[in-house]
Amino acid sequence: MRPVALTPLFASAQSLAGIGPRLVLLLKKCLALPPGVSEPRVLDLLWHLPTGVVDRRAEPSSRDAVPGSIVTLKVRVLKHKAPPRGNNKAPYKVTCEDDTGRIDLVFFHAERKFIETQLPEGEERYISGRVERYGETLQMAHPDYIVPPERRGDLPMLEPVYPLTAGLSGKVLFKATRQAIERVPDMTEWQDAAWLKARQWPDFKTALNRLHRPEDAQDVSNGAAPWQRLAYDELLAGQLALGLVRQNIRAQRGRSISGDGLIRKRIVAALPFKLTNSQITALSEISTDLAATHRMLRLLQGDVGSGKTVVALMSMAIAIEAGAQAALMAPTEVLARQHADTIAPLAEQAGLRIALLTGREKGKARDAVLERLASGEIDILIGTHALFQSDVVFKDLAFAVIDEQHRFGVHQRLALQAKGSNGGTNVLVMTATPIPRTLLMTHYGDLDVSKLTEKPAGRKPIITRKMPVDHMERLIDRIRVQLAEGAQVYWVCPLIESSEQSELAAAEERHAHLAQIFGNTVGLLHGALTAKEKDTTMAAFASGDLKILVATTVIEVGVNVPNANIMVIEHAERFGLAQLHQLRGRVGRGSRESFCMLLYKQPLGVTAEQRLTMMEKTEDGFLIAEKDLELRGGGEMLGARQSGEPGFRVAEVPGFEMLLSAARDDAKLILATDAELASPRGQALRTLLYMFEADEAVRLFRAA
Ligand code: ADP
Ligand code: MG
């Protein structure tokens, strides 16, 4: 259970004074809420950190106030001068003075009443804002603060600047965060004392205070001690959570699965190629895992086209050899079908019974599959997330392969695992996204990883060129020549329908354009088609009836048409590197020389230019992934948002990698000595997990 002391932090933000239903809506827009949280809570305000400070500490006399700077002045109000009637362009002026001179406060479109009550003639006020010189006079337009001397304390001399949204002011956030911090209870320190001391980091509450109530302009920086401390807290919470999940999976005795190798032999005999060394190594790692008595959780990383599907099939065969069942889950319908199509002929020769289950299998057909599955007449079930449905019951699921992992979240992974019988399902997660080490650590801890580093023999390099979209006619001429030689082309556009406001190339328009030139050999594939239409189109392209396939990014994942050798990507500058790499991986699979043409619209920004140049220079998915991380940060690449994996709230800071690897080592050490988090520090760390809502892990010892 969450410690009671934390309860006030998890209350709705509306429980704070000054925050009503209207402001809650604005907060909802402005704060980054974790997945699954729809209403901003007090806690969410704590993580809404300032991006800088406004320094109001300069308190010169009016004579010495430097034009252009922000100052706080103590003045006497002399007289009000309203604009002439009917002229609402002229400002409302209030002349004030101190002992050294005068200053005009000016208000445009002013609310007279407001000014009169704020600045009564003859009284003293503190005002704070930017001063300017206007001819001979000193002016301050719309002071940020006007307070009477007795309320001087309300004027923040160092004011944090928050990311805002229209209608939400910094002042509101300033007040709200103050209350939020007051609700943070005193907690036992969860970090190691020596480590804190070495880094000169403050305690948790002090860190929050120094960020939301800076006493020094340097406090508010993601490189400074308070922020770094919180970043480390978040990373440690994440690593601990992963460690706990992993420990839990490990502790569950899996069953030892091994087979006689007969089915695998038959598959190898049916393959039209030899396995690469990488594939053989990965398979031996997997079979060792399966034979062990703990539950397997392994990641198979392999660039597009590296041949993961065969590895999946051979691994599943082990489960079948052992008399059990296996499942293969893909993120999309198209991909699930394609896996089924690829695997079917091999399975048939090896004597494996496979079936497909997606959202489209309904009624009698679906019932029949479920029945055969439950009675053990199906060896391998291939499908989409439809496999999660609760009425899908296996006779004896021993092994599950999840393809293109980055599209699924932790929850789904656990749900599939739960379907296993006899001590749980062994899981192999496959990803084509080459995940850099840092990200792997962040999202998976030290998961076991097998890598396919070699490309299958006979692959030719893909010639990649960027090209301004204005040169499209030249490209079309070249395509005409290529088509005559039997080539096939993917043509990717980012949007489905054209909108006048948007300059995005529209797939439908492009399709019409190309069909004018190349006739009915041009097909169109996009997300709004029915599944059946998609299948028909894909099949026509695979069989060569269609020569050019205009598509939105639905083809991104996994489609395999070896004869296709040209990839054209429109508005390539709008895609991320990882996505471009995935798309390019659709070609270069056959014997033909392959090309990837990156069309861009001029002018090209610096980052976009770097991205496209990187694509021209290398086909190494790992290099590209590292660069991608550098250019746009990691969360996006992993598709963290879509998959429902939590992103970071404070941890995106300079020195991230160093902090992360320290957090990982720390978490390892903690769990090695205090696996149940039962020691005093362990107890404090539980609170840390709750603070960062690492629920997944917390649930594991909830019973304890
Ligand atoms: P991915 O890793 O992107 O899922 P696939 O498993 O779809 O790659 O394999 C891509 C293509 O490479 C397929 O046509 C597959 O038959 C072929 N392939 C796989 N392994 C080898 C190999 N060892 N030698 C030659 N071709 C292979
Ligand atoms: Mg694949």
Side-chain angles (χ1 to χ4, degrees), residues 173-231:
L173 278 175
F174 186 72
K175 280 192 198 143
T177 49
R178 168 181 305 178
Q179 300 176 62
I181 292 178
E182 280 164 8
R183 290 205 190 173
V184 177
D186 288 326
M187 294 177 281
T188 315
E189 180 58 69
W190 46 70
Q191 296 294 1
D192 179 58
W195 167 249
L196 284 184
K197 198 161 167 222
R199 313 287 305 181
Q200 296 189 298
W201 284 346
D203 66 74
F204 180 75
K205 196 165 177 178
T206 306
L208 281 171
N209 248 313
R210 290 213 351 231
L211 283 161
H212 288 291
R213 294 290 157 273
E215 281 165 21
D216 191 318
Q218 264 94 56
D219 282 348
V220 178
S221 146
N222 58 9
W227 200 311
Q228 292 268 312
R229 143 101 218 203
L230 297 179

Side-chain angles (χ1 to χ4, degrees), residues 231-245:
Y232 190 74
D233 283 338
E234 179 169 35
L235 291 171
L236 181 62
Q239 291 302 303
L240 263 183
L242 289 166
L244 285 164
V245 171

Side-chain angles (χ1 to χ4, degrees), residues 305 308-309 335 339 403-404 430 432 558 586 589:
K308 293 183 293 297
T309 318
L335 195 56
H339 276 318
D403 194 11
E404 311 290 353
M430 305 200 292
R586 302 304 119 216
R589 296 179 166 225

Side-chain angles (χ1 to χ4, degrees), residues 575-581 611 614-615 624 627-628 631:
F575 289 88
L577 265 180
Q579 217 180 354
L580 289 175
H581 181 66
R611 251 191 256 142
M614 186 74 190
M615 291 297 295
I624 288 176
K627 186 78 182 173
D628 199 35
L631 289 178

Side-chain angles (χ1 to χ4, degrees), residues 271-277 279 302-311 335 338-339 342 346 403-404 430-432 452 455-459 558-562 585-586 589:
L271 287 174
F273 47 73
K274 269 181 63 186
L275 294 175
T276 63
N277 288 328
Q279 286 169 323
D303 210 344
V304 269
S306 59
K308 293 183 293 297
T309 318
V310 172
V311 175
L335 195 56
Q338 183 170 311
H339 276 318
T342 315
L346 294 168
D403 194 11
E404 311 290 353
M430 305 200 292
T431 176
L452 299 183
K455 292 227 162 162
R459 292 278 160 79
V559 176
N560 190 25
V561 179
R586 302 304 119 216
R589 296 179 166 225

Side-chain angles (χ1 to χ4, degrees), residues 668-696:
K668 242 184 173 166
L669 196 68
I670 291 164
L671 292 178
T673 53
D674 183 17
E676 302 291 315
L677 297 184
S679 70
R681 185 180 177 203
Q683 295 289 341
L685 285 162
R686 289 182 181 216
T687 310
L688 168 70
L689 290 170
Y690 282 108
M691 275 307 293
F692 283 94
E693 303 175 72
D695 290 13
E696 207 77 58

